[in-house]
Structures are given as structure tokens and as C-alpha cells.
């Protein structure tokens, strides 16, 4: 069944490549997204035993990221039907193939316990998304694509060096070389401390750059700014979570080797730097899609701080995977609609979105309220859990800096978002034939409802998975 989860999207990608013409190709995305989500739900309910040799094992950490990725992909695939119908001047072949290959690689990331295979799958997600950033085929999009490829590849290369160090630490200790997570955790006390320490530094920097933690985030504003809305949604809500899962695997190893304090302190520092940097660049941002990129930097910072704090904040970090992933979907898809209607991403050109596009403007406004941690949406629950955990642990300085960053970011985003959606449409604004449709409004609307529901009630099965996942990351005496 785990193999089907990986092979099903690959079959869809092959069909998208073979199918002539663009008329029916976009329909392949939801056609394969629905069974992928169905299969995911079945595997959550009837989880198979680990594969012989331990290479594949769908544990609670993998389940959380897999479920969020599959749900987000389904909504993006439905949105693609409306988006690609409007963008008939562009071939949909590369877009459909890239998204389906990315879903297959993402499934592999969530199900493998072999760190080398996880690295290969994570790099595959990077490569498969690169051509999609170049979808608009202009000078800025090709620059963004190269920057994305270069920085992410350097980061993943550093992670590969970290894996080499980790494997070498087993050789130095006289053990059979292995990158299987379960083997490494079992033999963790015997591993060479100096090589393990060096490995953790490289892995944190490597996977941190893929996640977009400051100061390794420089690819995000360009890539998110130039990519189509649905690609931005998958980057900010999907690929970020996959890189976070890689960090969680390293966190598990740190726990087993008793090197956790160094790793936790580094995560808190990088997380707070990310949040402050996002706060500085978000105020008076002239490009609203770049503003969303800095919002993503902020939220990976929030997850890093939570992981570094440990304790109950871990639960908040894992819940934030859902809260941030789906809310980013709402924001990127609705911002894509606004971009198409105004033919501009500049905040000086976009105003009165609620009058021109009532549904998309309303969704963008609601998304802003949700992503800034306002009740009653899901990000409020996760962020409240994290900051209350910091207070309970006596980490007053961390809690104060965390709250200060959130406050500055709220004000900065409000200064950009409110003028965009309120007021009158400027007379100088370029008119376009773009109008809201069921396909371009329905998916972000349903996602927003899910984000709202998760803010007032977490279903018991999801709560059980979150608790089981958090227990894997607890510090044990």
C-alpha cells in the first residue's frame, strides 16, 4: 500500500506526458489527487507494518505531513482546473507533470526511514518544482528559478555532507555503516560524538535552507513572488513541511544521542532570527506575493522555535504544520486571483479588491486574519500553545521576543493587506477579463472553513496522531 502511495502520482505524471493537447490534461490532477487522499486516509486508519529491513515505516510524524500534503494537493489540483482554463496560452504539460512528480516524492519523504532515501526524495521535490516557478516565462521568473535551484541545491548538498558525517560516525565507532533511522537511534550512544556533532550542524543548515529559515531564506521572496499561486501554495504549505519533517528526523536522532540541548538552542536562535527578519521586511512591502514569502519565513521560524523549546510546544509545532499549510493555501490561491485580475502584484496598483473580486478579496482578508494568529482560526491555537509553553518553562525572554515579533508582523501585514482589499478600485488600474469562478474560489473557501473548524475543534483521530507524534519527540530522563 505504501508503494501505491508513491507510484500512483507517478502514473499520473506519465499520463500527463503522453496525453496530447491541453484540453483534458488538467483534469488528471484531481483524478489522481482524490485516490491519493483516499489511500492516505486508509493508511492512517490501517497503518501497515514497517517494511522488511525498516526502509519504509509510516509513523505518526510521517502521517501528519502526508495528510497535510495530500489535502493541500487536492485543493490545489481543483484550483488548477480554473486557473489553467484562464491561462490557455501556456501549455499545462510541465505544470501537471511537475506537480504529480512532486506529490510522489513527497509521499516518499513521509514514508521512508532511510535518511539517504529521504534526502533523494527531498531533492526530487526541489527539482520537480523548479520548472513550475518559470511558468510565466519572463526574465524575473527565470532569475527566481535559478536562485531557487542554486540556494536549495547548496543547502541540500550541505545536508548530504551531514549524512556522510553521520554514516562515518558509525564506521569510526566500529559498527556496520547505516543511514537507517531505527539503526542509528538504537546505536546512538555508541556513535562518535565529534562526528555526530558535525553532522547535526550540516544537517540543520542544509535542511534549514530548504525550509527557508533565516539567514538561508533568500530564495523565497523571488520564488514565491514569481510562481503561479497554486505553485506558491505547494511551496509554502507543502514543501516547507517536508523539510520540517527532515529536521524532525534529525531531532529524533539528537534525542537518542543526548546532543539535544545544542540542537534546541540553535533552533530557537534561528527561529527568532527568522521571525524578526520577516517582521522587518514585511512592513511596507510593495509586492503582496513577496509579503507572503516573508510570512512563510515567519512561520518556519515559529515551528523552529517550538521545536527548540520542546515540551508542550512540540504539540503546537506539529499542529502548526496543518494550520500554516492550509492557511498558506488560502492566501496564495486568493492572491493569485487578485494578481490575475489586476495584472499586477504591486500594492500601489491593487486596491478595492473587495469591490472588484468580492470572493477573492474576502478570502485574502480572512487569510490575513488567520495567518497572523487571530482567533478563532487554527494558527491561533498552535501559536498560543507554543507561547504558553515558553512561559510555563520560564523562557520569558523567548516568549517576549516571540510575542513582539508577532505584533510587529501583524501591524506590517495589516498596513499592506487592508489598503489592498478596502476602498475604491483605482481609475488607473488595468482592466482584465478575469472573474472569480467556482474552481478558483471554491478550493480556498473550503480550506478556510477547515482552518476555522480546526480552530474551534480538533477531531479525535487527528488529535490522537498529533499526541502520538509529539510523544516521539519528548525528552526522556
Amino acid at each position: 500500500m505504501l508503494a501505491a502511495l508513491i507510484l500512483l502520482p507517478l502514473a499520473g505524471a506519465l499520463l500527463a506526458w503522453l496525453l496530447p493537447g491541453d484540453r483534458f490534461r488538467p483534469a488528471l490532477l484531481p483524478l489522481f489527487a482524490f485516490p491519493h487522499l483516499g489511500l492516505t486516509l486508509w493508511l492512517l486508519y490501517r497503518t501497515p507494518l514497517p517494511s522488511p529491513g525498516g526502509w519504509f515505516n509510516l509513523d505518526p510524524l510521517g502521517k501528519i505531513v502526508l495528510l497535510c500534503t495530500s489535502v493541500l494537493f487536492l485543493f490545489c489540483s481543483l484550483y488548477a482546473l480554473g486557473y489553467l482554463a484562464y491561462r490557455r496560452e501556456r501549455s499545462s504539460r510541465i505544470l501537471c507533470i511537475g506537480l504529480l512528480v512532486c506529490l510522489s516524492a513527497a509521499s516518499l519523504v513521509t514514508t521512508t526511514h532511510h535518511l539517504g532515501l529521504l534526502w533523494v526524495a527531498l531533492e526530487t521535490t526541489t527539482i520537480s518544482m523548479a520548472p513550475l516557478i518559470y511558468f510565466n516565462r519572463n526574465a524575473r521568473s527565470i532569475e527566481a528559478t535559478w536562485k531557487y535551484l542554486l540556494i536549495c541545491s547548496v543547502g541540500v548538498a550541505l545536508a548530504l555532507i551531514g549524512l556522510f558525517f553521520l554514516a562515518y560516525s558509525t564506521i569510526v565507532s566500529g559498527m556496520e555503516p547505516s543511514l537507517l533511522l531505527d539503526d542509528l537511534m538504537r546505536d546512538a550512544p555508541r556513535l562518535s560524538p565529534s562526528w555526530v556533532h558535525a553532522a547535526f550542524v550540516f544537517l540543520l543548515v542544509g535542511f534549514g535552507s530548504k525550509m527557508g529559515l533565516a539567514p538561508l531564506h533568500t530564495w523565497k521572496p523571488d520564488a514565491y513572488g514569481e510562481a503561479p499561486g497554486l505553485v506558491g501554495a505547494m511551496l509554502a504549505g507543502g514543501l516547507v513541511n517536508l523539510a520540517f519533517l527532515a529536521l524532525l528526523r534529525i531531532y529524533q536522532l539528537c534525542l537518542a544521542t543526548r546532543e539535544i540541548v545544542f540542537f534546541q538552542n540553535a533552533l530557537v536562535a534561528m527561529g527568532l532570527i527568522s521571525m524578526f527578519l520577516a517582521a522587518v521586511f514585511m512592513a511596507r512591502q510593495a509586492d503582496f506575493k513577496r509579503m507572503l514569502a516573508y510570512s512563510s519565513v515567519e512561520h518556519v521560524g515559529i515551528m523552529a522555535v517550538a521545536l527548540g523549546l520542546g515540551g508542550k510546544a512540540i504539540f503546537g509545532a506539529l499542529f502548526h504544520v496543518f494550520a500554516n499549510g492550509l492557511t498558506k493555501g488560502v492566501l496564495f490561491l486568493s492572491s493569485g486571483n487578485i494578481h490575475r485580475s489586476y495584472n499586477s502584484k504591486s500594492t500601489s496598483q491593487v486596491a478595492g479588491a473587495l469591490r472588484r473580486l468580492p470572493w477573492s478579496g474576502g478570502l485574502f482578508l480572512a487569510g490575513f486574519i488567520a495567518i497572523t494568529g487571530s482567533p478563532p482560526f487554527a494558527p491561533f491555537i498552535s501559536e498560543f500553545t507554543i507561547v504558553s509553553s515558553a512561559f510555563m518553562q520560564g523562557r520569558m525572554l523567548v516568549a517576549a521576543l516571540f510575542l513582539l515579533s508577532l505584533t510587529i508582523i501583524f501591524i506590517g501585514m495589516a498596513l499592506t493587506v487592508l489598503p489592498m482589499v478596502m476602498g475604491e478600485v483605482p481609475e488607473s488600474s488595468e482592466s482584465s477579463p478575469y472573474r472569480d469562478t467556482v474552481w478558483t474560489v471554491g478550493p480556498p473557501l473550503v480550506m478556510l472553513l477547515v482552518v476555522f473548524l480546526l480552530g474551534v475543534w480538533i477531531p479525535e483521530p487527528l488529535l490522537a496522531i498529533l499526541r502520538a507524534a509529539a510523544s516521539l519527540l519528548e525528552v526522556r530522563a
Side-chain angles (χ1 to χ4, degrees):
M1 292 295 277
L2 291 180
L5 204 62
I6 299 160
L7 295 176
L8 184 70
L10 278 184
L14 181 63
L15 268 179
W17 178 57
L18 293 173
L19 201 65
D22 287 327
R23 186 176 179 186
F24 299 109
R25 191 180 295 118
L28 290 175
L29 293 173
L31 190 65
F32 283 87
F34 273 111
H36 186 274
L37 180 58
L39 198 53
T40 296
L41 294 174
W42 174 255
L43 289 170
L44 297 189
Y45 175 64
R46 298 288 296 268
T47 305
L49 294 172
S51 67
W55 281 53
F56 297 96
N57 181 6
L58 185 59
D59 65 5
L61 292 173
K63 286 178 181 179
I64 290 172
V65 178
L66 176 64
L67 179 60
C68 184
T69 306
S70 190
V71 169
L72 181 65
F73 186 89
L74 174 64
F75 286 121
C76 287
S77 70
L78 292 170
Y79 176 87
L81 296 177
Y83 177 77
L84 292 173
Y86 183 75
R87 302 295 306 276
R88 290 185 191 279
E89 80 279 9
R90 296 268 185 265
S91 169
S92 63
R93 175 174 275 125
I94 299 298
L95 186 78
C96 293
I97 293 174
L99 286 172
L100 287 163
V101 170
C102 182
L103 180 63
S104 172
S107 304
L108 182 56
V109 170
T110 59
T111 53
T112 184
H113 268 211
H114 190 283
L115 296 180
L117 191 55
L118 182 148
W119 180 89
V120 171
L122 206 56
E123 182 67 358
T124 303
T125 62
T126 302
I127 294 170
S128 64
M129 294 300 275
L132 314 192
I133 298 171
Y134 182 53
F135 183 75
N136 289 318
R137 301 187 183 180
N138 53 41
R140 295 186 67 172
S141 64
I142 195 167
E143 181 187 344
T145 304
W146 278 114
K147 190 179 281 188
Y148 164 78
L149 268 178
L150 187 66
I151 298 174
C152 284
S153 296
V154 168
V156 178
L158 291 174
L160 181 62
I161 294 172
L163 291 180
F164 286 153
F165 285 171
L166 201 56
Y168 190 66
S169 71
T170 62
I171 297 172
V172 171
S173 305
M175 296 183 295
E176 190 72 21
S178 175
L179 283 177
L180 278 172
L181 184 65
D182 300 330
D183 288 351
L184 290 168
M185 290 180 65
R186 185 192 60 223
D187 298 326
R190 297 170 55 199
L191 296 176
S192 167
S194 55
W195 284 105
V196 166
H197 208 270
F200 288 163
V201 171
F202 276 89
L203 289 167
L204 175 60
V205 174
F207 291 137
S209 67
K210 171 79 176 173
M211 196 174 160
L213 278 170
L216 313 162
H217 68 286
T218 49
W219 60 271
K220 272 192 169 182
D222 292 293
Y224 288 14
E226 298 305 319
L230 71 102
V231 176
M234 285 303 299
L235 286 169
L239 269 63
V240 158
N241 288 339
L242 297 173
F244 186 59
L245 178 61
L247 272 186
L248 294 179
R249 298 301 188 202
I250 305 307
Y251 191 92
Q252 284 182 279
L253 265 179
C254 289
L255 282 172
T257 56
R258 309 287 182 183
E259 294 283 342
I260 192 63
V261 175
F262 163 77
F263 200 65
Q264 284 180 319
N265 289 338
L267 283 169
V268 170
M270 291 179 75
L272 288 175
I273 291 171
S274 300
M275 293 179 71
F276 261 102
L277 188 139
V280 169
F281 282 91
M282 206 175 289
R284 301 289 184 188
Q285 183 56 244
D287 182 326
F288 61 83
K289 291 184 78 173
R290 290 176 74 90
M291 177 196 69
L292 296 182
Y294 285 109
S295 173
S296 177
V297 174
E298 172 211 354
H299 284 272
V300 297
I302 289 172
M303 291 194 283
V305 169
L307 199 57
L309 286 171
K312 291 189 182 302
I314 295 285
F315 180 91
L318 296 173
F319 187 56
H320 206 66
V321 167
F322 280 100
N324 176 56
L326 297 183
T327 311
K328 280 294 190 303
V330 175
L331 281 165
F332 272 95
L333 297 187
S334 57
S335 70
N337 296 342
I338 295 170
H339 180 198
R340 295 268 69 83
S341 177
Y342 285 81
N343 281 329
S344 176
K345 299 176 294 168
S346 171
T347 52
S348 63
Q349 300 291 319
V350 179
L354 279 172
R355 290 182 180 275
R356 179 178 275 195
L357 295 173
W359 283 101
S360 294
L363 285 167
F364 194 67
L365 179 61
F368 150 69
I369 294 169
I371 204 67
T372 48
S374 307
F377 295 100
F380 170 76
I381 302 297
S382 54
E383 292 177 17
F384 180 79
T385 304
I386 294 165
V387 77
S388 60
S389 176
F391 279 118
M392 284 191 288
Q393 293 179 34
R395 307 284 294 271
M396 299 302 174
L397 181 61
V398 173
L401 293 175
F402 189 92
L403 288 173
L404 179 64
S405 301
L406 292 185
T407 305
I408 297 172
I409 287 165
F410 180 87
I411 296 170
M413 278 195 84
L415 289 173
T416 302
V417 173
L418 295 181
M420 279 178 59
V421 296
M422 302 293 185
E424 300 290 336
V425 179
E427 292 182 1
S428 60
S429 175
E430 187 179 336
S431 63
S432 79
Y434 182 85
R435 297 291 181 273
D436 280 339
T437 67
V438 171
W439 294 114
T440 56
V441 168
L445 177 63
V446 177
M447 268 194 288
L448 183 67
L449 291 174
V450 173
V451 171
F452 170 76
L453 285 174
L454 287 176
V456 294
W457 173 67
I458 304 175
E460 190 56 40
L462 178 59
L463 201 57
I465 295 174
L466 288 168
R467 284 173 177 157
S471 71
L472 294 177
L473 303 172
E474 287 178 354
V475 178
R476 294 179 174 84

